[in-house]
Amino acid sequence: MALRLVAYFDVRADVLPSLAAQAATAAEAGDAGVLETAYESLRVLNVERNGNFIYTYKDSKGNTVFGLYDCQTRQNEHLYTFEKDMQAVSCSVNSERTLLAASFIHYTKEGVRSELQPGSKCLTLLVEIHPVDRMKVLKAVDSCIWVQFLYPHVESHLLQNHLLLISEEKYIERFHIQITREDGNRVVIRNPSHLPRDRIAEDFVWAQWDMSEQRLYYIELEKSKSVLRCIQFWADESFTLMFEMPLDISLSGLRFKLVNFGCDYHQDQEKLSNQPSLCIFTNHTGSLCVCYSPKFDSWEKITYSVFYLHKGYRKTFTAAPGSVNSHGTAGITFLNLGYLVAVCFPGHFLHLLNIQHPDLICHSLFLTGNNKMAAMQPLTSLQSLPGSFVLDCSSGKIYRATLDQSYLLWFLWNAARLDCEKMAALHCVLSCSRDPGFQEDQVIQWICEHVSACHSFDLIQEFLIASSYWSVYPELVDMDILLAHSSVLTWNEEIPGIMLVTEELPLLLMKAYSLTGYWAKLNSNLEYVKYTKPHLHYHNSVVRREWCNLISEEKTGKRRSTMYVRNILDNAIKVISNMETRTLEPRLIPLLQEEDRHQRLLMGLMVSELRDHLVRHLQGVEKKKIEQTVLDYISKLLNLIWCMLETSWRKHSVHPWVFHLNNHGSVADFEVFHLMTRILDATNSLCFPLPPGFHSLHMILGVHCLPLYNLLHYIDNGMLLLTETAVTRLMKDLDNSEKNEKLKFSIIVRLPPLIGQKVCRLWDHPMSSSIISRNHVTQLLKNYKKEPRNSMIGKSSFPTEFLPLNYFIEILTGLESSHQALCDLEGQDSVDAEFVEEAALKHTTVLLGL
């Protein structure tokens, strides 16, 4: 059930209604057997590059009919009718639907024998069908032939078409078919008796056609070695041998096998299940995987290998399928799911291999058990097509293979027990983040309720990194190289039920130059593996160092260039603005409303460093696009943290009065506080920014939930930060009871000087007056130099006769007159020598117990 096959085309459901309309017309003409005969003989023959399906059936007279189903218009089109009862093997139509090639197997029925080429086993024909006109015999041989038109990447009115003929005698030819247009749109083959041809490949034992990208893969046996080669056909009628690569695989018992050259109904499926299975999958990200399963010698252990040619290594897996049942005798099927390859052994196991990041086995999900594979059991003749499509030859149905998000979420909630299962399932779910109906809220809820469930890795770190990665991954090329997708760098634990052996391979050597598109990306991946040490993944080490320097300089009074700091803070403003434009629903937790200069500095520094990192390595990409990608990445990161808090807040029904400190904390408050502490620990390790306001809320919850000793311990160890917002609320909300006085004083003495001076003025208490006075005197005496004085100030100026205090106040008064700017740091409160004198006398009175 982890793999979902969504019906895309059903040859009976999509074609028979059209034939039924024809049958109604035929019935009026006295021919009532059209629909019944068509139903029994209808089957898919080929899928062309543009996604159109070619099918064949027999009419009531036994004639062989070819039709085309246009996947864009959802309409059927009649292509050609051979007025003979022949068994079609292969069929292809050119992109303009003016030429049709087909091959047939000749057979003899009582009184019925083909008159076209008596004695030959296979007949291959080329027919003009716009309009129906001449027919040319291309081959009449004793070996089977398959046909395939080449499709240009740009649809146009071509004067030359190219047709591949693949022979069971192990050679491939390309025919050059020149056409002319007569009488308007009538298409005629020019000089049909002499069609130029060239030999593409020969002496191969296996070949695969990629109709989407117009590539031919084939394997030749050279000195008992299997050599894989790839030919790319171009729109300008040329072709290029792109690479050749020796593969250490055994193809004994494999005489001849074709993959994706139409749907071959004449191969013995039981015999094929006892042969090696081989197929190649590519992705626009530059991945190139060869999936191989040798002939089964024993059902006790199943072995399969994946050659990650874009990474330079091979991984061989050995799994124990358990008891053999009727559903398990079809062998292994490999399916292309885009960023994943599914290894299916119906009724036994499903292995979802991460081909984008295959280094660690923990990023691939291995599922066992019949319930996981129930949806796959009836399908015994699957054929993987490009674009995550799957053809079931037995039923003539085309499916789109996708991951079942609902099942994966269920698996996370109910069945994942091991860390490796949770890791792999999480990555599988997040790889679907751009699919319609992605349930991110369910993933976040699972994360919030299982933050302490993983021991091998930090679940919050993994979620933040992986989810942010997938949110921007499709936007730019090479993001898999430049951005980390996981917090885990090594994995040494075994995966139950499967054994793994990794072998290094010689790197693929491209034989072509001036590479573009997919081949340029593949070559980039190969060069990255060959030359780049260490990896180019972005990390925040530079940001951490610069951030700590900025904070340290602020504390010591040093200042950077105003323009430099302003640019950093402007970056943070862009991120917050980007977040606000994406936040449509009202939030319960009022984040982003606080200044929080330190988090804004970290946010802005990360924007600057990540942007420079991408600009440095993404040559030719617009800086504006890179800038937006960076803003999206960091916005996603911050939004995930916000959503986690919102999810926990709603789940535990936290009351709004939690923002006020004159109430006791509840169990719900503690749950949110615990989650915030785990988030803070995770982000501190990665040096990720937090939404402004996070630290204030965390501090308020800490005051609610923790005893004073634990609260101060958290503060002293940096797990709780004393923000001006939180401390201001603390001073205003709490009364001056003995317990609260102790708390307030403990907080004030731990505040940075600038915030401390502001906060002390909010607390009407002798202790705060003493602190204010001390700070005021410290500022005045910072640059004080003793100078001789002519006279003492008169006694009448002071209400008390205490000469040391009188003399000290005289000095302060003199300094205040010289340095008025220092008298009031905020320009609001009146702090002067008289205030200091009063505070000193009150403090002395308290100390003396008077």
Side-chain angles (χ1 to χ4, degrees):
M1 290 176 64
L3 193 62
R4 190 161 57 101
L5 299 181
V6 181
Y8 181 76
F9 168 74
D10 184 341
V11 68
R12 289 187 170 86
D14 292 318
V15 175
L16 282 178
S18 175
L19 298 183
Q22 299 177 23
T25 304
E28 294 176 0
D31 185 359
V34 175
L35 189 60
E36 181 180 353
T37 308
Y39 182 86
E40 295 176 353
S41 58
L42 184 63
R43 54 193 176 88
V44 177
L45 276 182
N46 200 3
V47 184
E48 297 290 8
R49 179 178 180 271
N50 51 18
N52 295 338
F53 306 105
I54 297 179
Y55 55 86
T56 183
Y57 62 92
K58 300 293 178 64
D59 63 14
S60 59
K61 298 179 182 178
N63 298 326
T64 303
V65 183
F66 292 98
L68 180 142
Y69 180 80
D70 191 318
C71 63
Q72 299 296 328
T73 63
R74 298 286 177 179
Q75 298 294 321
N76 288 279
E77 177 183 335
H78 173 263
L79 293 177
Y80 191 75
T81 299
F82 285 92
E83 296 180 352
K84 293 186 179 297
D85 187 1
M86 299 190 294
Q87 191 70 26
V89 175
S90 176
C91 181
S92 184
V93 65
N94 66 346
S95 59
E96 294 181 291
R97 306 179 195 176
T98 57
L99 299 176
L100 181 138
S103 60
F104 305 88
I105 291 180
H106 278 194
Y107 65 98
T108 303
K109 288 199 297 189
E110 292 184 44
V112 179
R113 183 177 176 85
S114 172
E115 300 174 358
L116 292 173
Q117 290 290 334
S120 59
K121 175 184 176 183
C122 184
L123 180 68
T124 305
L125 303 175
L126 178 65
V127 185
E128 299 168 352
I129 60 173
H130 190 74
V132 174
D133 197 353
R134 292 176 298 178
M135 177 189 304
K136 173 177 173 54
V137 177
L138 295 178
K139 292 280 184 179
V141 293
D142 289 333
S143 57
C144 216
I145 298 290
W146 290 262
V147 292
Q148 179 62 58
F149 272 102
L150 298 180
Y151 274 54
H153 284 266
V154 179
E155 299 291 339
S156 60
H157 295 287
L158 301 175
L159 296 179
Q160 183 164 270
N161 288 264
H162 304 277
L163 176 70
L164 296 181
L165 261 68
I166 303 91
S167 171
E168 197 175 18
E169 295 297 324
K170 303 180 181 180
Y171 66 83
I172 300 177
E173 291 181 334
R174 182 178 64 159
F175 280 76
H176 305 271
I177 306 168
Q178 293 187 341
I179 60 174
T180 58
R181 298 183 181 275
E182 299 177 354
D183 302 330
N185 292 325
R186 180 182 178 185
V187 175
V188 177
I189 301 174
R190 183 189 301 174
N191 196 10
S193 59
H194 295 89
L195 296 179
R197 72 182 77 175
D198 42 34
R199 186 67 60 96
I200 300 294
E202 53 189 352
D203 296 329
F204 67 93
V205 295
W206 174 93
Q208 175 177 319
W209 175 244
D210 184 340
M211 80 280 287
S212 177
E213 301 298 333
Q214 300 288 281
R215 298 184 193 127
L216 172 67
Y217 303 94
Y218 62 96
I219 291 179
E220 297 179 355
L221 298 180
E222 298 181 359
K223 297 180 181 179
S224 71
K225 289 185 178 180
S226 301
V227 180
L228 172 66
R229 292 183 171 87
C230 175
I231 290 177
Q232 174 73 65
F233 294 94
W234 307 105
D236 63 356
E237 306 175 4
S238 64
F239 66 90
T240 305
L241 176 64
M242 301 305 298
F243 68 82
E244 56 184 32
M245 178 75 179
L247 299 178
D248 184 15
I249 57 176
S250 172
L251 294 179
S252 59
L254 182 65
R255 193 188 73 83
F256 179 80
K257 186 174 182 180
L258 298 179
V259 178
N260 289 348
F261 282 97
C263 190
D264 190 355
Y265 294 85
H266 303 284
Q267 297 188 72
D268 189 335
Q269 295 297 327
E270 184 175 351
K271 184 181 293 184
L272 286 178
S273 67
N274 294 323
Q275 291 185 358
S277 177
L278 185 69
C279 56
I280 294 176
F281 297 134
T282 61
N283 187 283
H284 68 277
T285 60
S287 63
L288 175 59
C289 295
V290 179
C291 302
Y292 166 72
S293 175
K295 181 173 61 175
F296 292 168
D297 295 324
S298 169
W299 291 93
E300 296 179 359
K301 290 185 178 181
I302 303 298
T303 300
Y304 51 96
S305 298
V306 178
F307 294 78
Y308 298 95
L309 298 185
H310 59 294
K311 295 288 185 179
Y313 52 74
R314 165 188 183 175
K315 289 183 179 288
T316 300
F317 304 91
T318 303
S323 60
V324 179
N325 56 40
S326 59
H327 300 299
T329 56
I332 280 182
T333 299
F334 298 103
L335 300 178
N336 184 10
L337 303 180
Y339 302 120
L340 302 170
V341 165
V343 185
C344 308
F345 192 27
H348 296 282
F349 66 78
L350 172 66
H351 200 177
L352 297 174
L353 294 171
N354 189 327
I355 62 171
Q356 199 61 35
H357 303 283
D359 298 3
L360 303 182
I361 192 174
C362 61
H363 293 138
S364 298
L365 182 61
F366 184 72
L367 298 173
T368 59
N370 291 332
N371 59 327
K372 278 77 174 178
M373 305 301 298
M376 296 295 299
Q377 288 181 357
L379 307 175
T380 58
S381 54
L382 293 180
Q383 181 176 320
S384 186
L385 304 174
S388 300
F389 286 103
V390 179
L391 169 63
D392 180 14
C393 294
S394 61
S395 65
K397 295 181 179 180
I398 307 288
Y399 300 91
R400 185 187 293 275
T402 62
L403 291 178
D404 190 334
Q405 297 178 37
S406 299
Y407 172 79
L408 290 172
L409 285 170
W410 176 89
F411 181 79
L412 276 174
W413 279 100
N414 302 284
R417 299 288 180 264
L418 304 175
D419 284 0
C420 58
E421 294 175 334
K422 296 169 186 173
M423 167 85 76
L426 178 63
H427 277 267
C428 287
V429 171
L430 293 179
S431 69
C432 307
S433 59
R434 295 225 163 193
D435 294 348
F438 177 63
Q439 303 176 38
E440 185 178 61
D441 56 334
Q442 292 292 316
V443 181
I444 291 175
Q445 185 176 344
W446 179 79
I447 295 289
C448 292
E449 296 189 23
H450 295 81
V451 289
S452 303
C454 298
H455 306 288
S456 305
F457 64 97
D458 188 306
L459 187 58
I460 294 178
Q461 286 186 357
E462 192 68 17
F463 173 64
L464 293 179
I465 291 177
S467 188
S468 300
Y469 167 85
W470 283 108
S471 71
V472 300
Y473 173 72
E475 301 299 330
L476 297 172
V477 297
D478 290 332
M479 294 301 274
D480 54 322
I481 295 175
L482 301 176
L483 281 181
H485 80 289
S486 173
S487 64
V488 177
L489 301 179
T490 59
W491 189 271
N492 298 318
E493 299 179 18
E494 294 184 356
I495 309 297
I498 193 168
M499 295 175 58
L500 168 65
V501 176
T502 302
E503 307 168 65
E504 287 193 8
L505 298 174
L507 283 179
L508 198 68
L509 183 62
M510 305 300 295
K511 289 184 168 293
Y513 302 96
S514 301
L515 301 172
T516 58
Y518 165 81
W519 296 110
K521 185 65 178 80
L522 173 60
N523 194 56
S524 174
N525 289 341
L526 295 172
E527 290 183 347
Y528 175 76
V529 173
K530 185 175 182 179
Y531 297 114
T532 306
K533 302 292 181 182
H535 295 306
L536 295 179
H537 286 161
Y538 170 79
H539 53 83
N540 268 352
S541 58
V542 175
V543 170
R544 184 191 299 275
R545 184 168 59 250
E546 182 66 6
W547 185 52
C548 292
N549 288 340
L550 285 173
I551 295 176
S552 176
E553 289 168 4
E554 284 191 355
K555 290 179 179 179
T556 57
K558 296 180 181 178
R559 291 290 181 181
R560 290 286 185 97
S561 163
T562 304
M563 184 63 68
Y564 173 73
V565 176
R566 184 184 301 163
N567 288 338
I568 292 174
L569 294 176
D570 285 346
N571 289 338
I573 292 173
K574 292 177 183 178
V575 173
I576 292 174
S577 176
N578 195 52
M579 281 188 67
E580 290 174 340
T581 58
R582 293 167 174 263
T583 305
L584 302 178
E585 299 179 357
R587 299 292 180 96
L588 294 175
I589 304 176
L591 299 181
L592 304 184
Q593 299 177 11
E594 187 179 321
E595 179 63 26
D596 202 342
R597 181 179 175 85
H598 288 178
Q599 287 305 310
R600 287 176 182 258
L601 285 174
L602 178 55
M603 203 185 302
L605 283 170
M606 187 172 178
V607 171
S608 179
E609 288 298 324
L610 180 54
R611 180 180 56 215
D612 291 347
H613 175 74
L614 296 182
V615 168
R616 188 160 52 246
H617 298 289
L618 294 177
Q619 303 296 328
V621 181
E622 293 182 3
K623 290 186 178 180
K624 185 177 181 181
K625 186 173 184 179
I626 292 177
E627 170 95 10
Q628 187 59 49
T629 301
V630 170
L631 295 178
D632 291 343
Y633 180 82
I634 300 176
S635 297
K636 179 67 174 181
L637 180 69
L638 296 171
N639 190 59
L640 289 172
I641 295 172
W642 198 352
C643 289
M644 290 173 68
L645 297 182
E646 290 270 331
T647 299
S648 182
W649 199 275
R650 285 191 174 92
K651 180 181 185 297
H652 299 291
S653 302
V654 179
H655 201 276
W657 57 246
V658 75
F659 295 112
H660 302 282
L661 289 163
N662 51 3
N663 293 284
H664 295 291
S666 63
V667 175
D669 298 345
F670 185 82
E671 291 293 339
V672 177
F673 174 75
H674 174 67
L675 175 63
M676 295 187 75
T677 304
R678 293 301 301 263
I679 291 174
L680 182 64
D681 183 54
T683 53
N684 279 348
S685 300
L686 300 170
C687 198
F688 279 172
L690 292 163
F694 180 96
H695 285 298
S696 294
L697 178 60
H698 192 212
M699 179 66 197
I700 292 171
L701 288 171
V703 173
H704 276 302
C705 300
L706 299 177
L708 179 59
Y709 173 81
N710 298 94
L711 179 69
L712 299 180
H713 181 72
Y714 271 59
I715 293 172
D716 293 339
N717 286 277
M719 292 304 295
L720 285 173
L721 295 188
L722 298 173
T723 65
E724 184 177 345
T725 301
V727 177
T728 299
R729 181 159 289 171
L730 184 144
M731 294 298 166
K732 290 181 177 180
D733 289 353
L734 298 183
D735 58 24
N736 287 333
S737 65
E738 182 179 351
K739 179 182 177 182
N740 289 341
E741 280 187 355
K742 189 175 181 181
L743 170 61
K744 289 181 178 181
F745 178 71
S746 300
I747 295 296
I748 284 178
V749 297
R750 286 169 167 80
L751 288 174
L754 291 177
I755 298 179
Q757 293 172 32
K758 296 179 184 178
V759 169
C760 282
R761 296 182 177 92
L762 302 174
W763 186 21
D764 185 14
H765 191 273
M767 189 60 67
S768 65
S769 299
S770 176
I771 294 172
I772 293 172
S773 299
R774 290 173 186 271
N775 291 334
H776 181 70
V777 171
T778 301
Q779 290 293 330
L780 287 175
L781 297 180
K782 184 181 295 182
N783 300 315
Y784 170 66
K785 293 181 181 180
K786 186 174 181 180
E787 297 178 359
R789 295 180 179 273
N790 296 325
S791 62
M792 292 291 293
I793 195 165
K795 292 183 180 180
S796 60
S797 301
F798 295 92
T800 181
E801 295 184 4
F802 182 48
L803 293 180
L805 180 60
N806 293 350
Y807 180 71
F808 181 61
I809 297 302
E810 176 195 5
I811 294 174
L812 294 184
T813 303
L815 290 173
E816 284 178 353
S817 62
S818 304
H819 308 280
Q820 290 187 9
L822 295 176
C823 293
D824 181 12
L825 295 175
E826 294 298 318
Q828 298 176 1
D829 298 314
S830 177
V831 181
D832 53 15
E834 184 178 348
F835 180 89
V836 173
E837 179 186 19
E838 182 180 351
L841 290 173
K842 286 183 178 179
H843 186 62
T844 304
T845 303
V846 172
L847 291 177
L848 294 176
L850 300 176

